[in-house]
Amino acid sequence: MTKQRKLNDILVITILILLIGVFSCSDNKECGYVSDPNIIPIGCTLQSELNLTTGTDVNGNLIAPGMGVIDPYWKLLNNPPLIMCEGSVEAATINGSAYAINFGNFGPDQWVNQIGATTLAPVDIGTEGSFGCNNAMNSEGKIVPYVFERSFCVLNDTHINFSFLGKGDDQIYYQLINNDNNTVINTSDSYTYYQDPLTWTGNDIALNAGSYSVRAYLANVNSVVLGFTLLGTLTTTNGDKSISNNNEGCCENNTISVLNVIDGNCNNAFDGFDSLGQNWTFKVLNSGNVVVRTGTTDVNGNIFFSGIPNGTYTVQIVTQTGYTSTTTSATVVLSNNIVKIVNFFNCPI
């Protein structure tokens, strides 16, 4: 056997050993999910289960409701146009926070409360306050919902299961969202107060590494006291530690929230002459002037760009024929998983 042939044989054996190491499974787990360690920040804590229950603190404990008490994970994405709301002190507290409340100091399983969860609302009313405002209607004649979001991170490609119980006053539904492309993965049934909690489950759903969220769409059609609860967990199907909360340094989940208004009387403020601009296109550009997100507004005049890293961005409107846009672009600075709301008013020519 020549020296060259020996070297070739050694090389082949070495490659086979490396391939066996790459494609073998440790801990008797199935090889089904792709891992990319390059996207996992140093010191990031990965988990196999996340508790997405409303009103849960960073240690997993239930938060007691009260004035000024907020949920550390859930946030409010929008500030819908309001009617009959002149001089409302409570409306002034709407700032992207999800407030822990207990309207009328009900028991743990009364109203929309659930044992093991704390009720959340867009306004800070504690346990005794009230909210005297109604939301404007969209072009379909439906109340514009408050949209809440609970983001989480997937650091390795995986599959997940979830099981939730939900309530809301007086209408609500929930969605699982891919923040990176703003697509809906799964939607719950709709809940109307007063009923037993709705059950929302999903099994073996494939999630690629990226940013995701559960959103809650809460609307009041009969009264102006509102709140919701979601109770349950999300787990990886095979127990892999590949998911994380969004405040552990594992990923950045800032949100740019756009409200697009057709300004009927051209006064650059929402009032009874105005409507909500559906199917308008918006773009998000980074500091290098590169488009990183694009999308169109929904029936409520909204589009939410979530899962955006820290940085400075420009939001641009694609103007439509027959309108003059008061503002064609807006600059926002994002950090610490915040929500930035930008309003655009379009005056008919």
Side-chain angles (χ1 to χ4, degrees), residues 92-155:
T93 67
I94 300 174
N95 61 4
S97 297
Y99 289 96
I101 73 164
N102 186 346
F103 172 65
N105 202 22
F106 287 142
D109 60 351
Q110 297 178 10
W111 190 43
V112 298
N113 301 331
Q114 297 190 74
I115 297 175
T118 299
T119 300
L120 300 183
V123 290
D124 186 12
I125 62 173
T127 61
E128 299 296 337
S130 62
F131 184 46
C133 302
N134 288 307
N135 293 7
M137 290 187 177
N138 60 30
S139 59
E140 295 179 349
K142 297 179 181 179
I143 294 291
V144 177
Y146 287 94
V147 184
F148 295 82
E149 180 176 273
R150 205 305 193 175
S151 290
F152 62 94
C153 313
V154 175
L155 280 302

Side-chain angles (χ1 to χ4, degrees), residues 12-35:
V12 170
I13 292 171
T14 301
I15 292 173
L16 287 174
I17 292 173
L18 290 174
L19 289 174
I20 291 172
V22 168
F23 290 105
S24 64
C25 294
S26 61
D27 300 327
N28 296 319
K29 293 181 179 179
E30 295 181 359
C31 291
Y33 309 144
V34 178
S35 174

Side-chain angles (χ1 to χ4, degrees), residues 48-195:
S48 60
E49 178 178 296
L50 295 178
N51 182 4
L52 304 190
T53 298
T54 54
T56 303
D57 67 19
V58 295
N59 296 314
N61 300 314
L62 198 62
I63 299 172
M67 291 298 297
V69 179
I70 63 173
D71 187 293
Y73 292 119
W74 285 87
K75 55 188 179 182
L76 178 66
L77 296 187
N78 64 337
N79 191 349
L82 301 175
I83 57 177
M84 298 185 299
C85 199
E86 293 80 3
S88 170
V89 175
E90 290 79 17
T93 67
I94 300 174
N95 61 4
S97 297
Y99 289 96
I101 73 164
N102 186 346
F103 172 65
N105 202 22
F106 287 142
D109 60 351
Q110 297 178 10
W111 190 43
V112 298
N113 301 331
Q114 297 190 74
I115 297 175
T118 299
T119 300
L120 300 183
V123 290
D124 186 12
I125 62 173
T127 61
E128 299 296 337
S130 62
F131 184 46
C133 302
N134 288 307
N135 293 7
M137 290 187 177
N138 60 30
S139 59
E140 295 179 349
K142 297 179 181 179
I143 294 291
V144 177
Y146 287 94
V147 184
F148 295 82
E149 180 176 273
R150 205 305 193 175
S151 290
F152 62 94
C153 313
V154 175
L155 280 302
N156 293 322
D157 295 355
T158 191
H159 290 202
I160 58 99
N161 303 325
F162 63 81
S163 179
F164 299 113
L165 296 175
K167 286 184 175 183
D169 182 355
D170 40 27
Q171 293 183 359
I172 196 166
Y173 66 93
Y174 305 87
Q175 289 184 331
L176 176 63
I177 303 287
N178 182 333
N179 289 336
D180 296 328
N181 54 27
N182 209 29
T183 57
V184 178
I185 301 170
N186 193 287
T187 302
S188 76
D189 294 332
S190 295
Y191 172 90
T192 301
Y193 179 78
Y194 175 86
Q195 296 177 2

Side-chain angles (χ1 to χ4, degrees), residues 250-269:
C250 290
C251 64
E252 297 163 350
N253 277 315
N254 301 289
T255 300
I256 297 174
S257 172
V258 174
L259 173 62
N260 189 45
V261 176
I262 305 302
D263 191 4
N265 56 353
C266 302
N267 66 346
N268 205 36

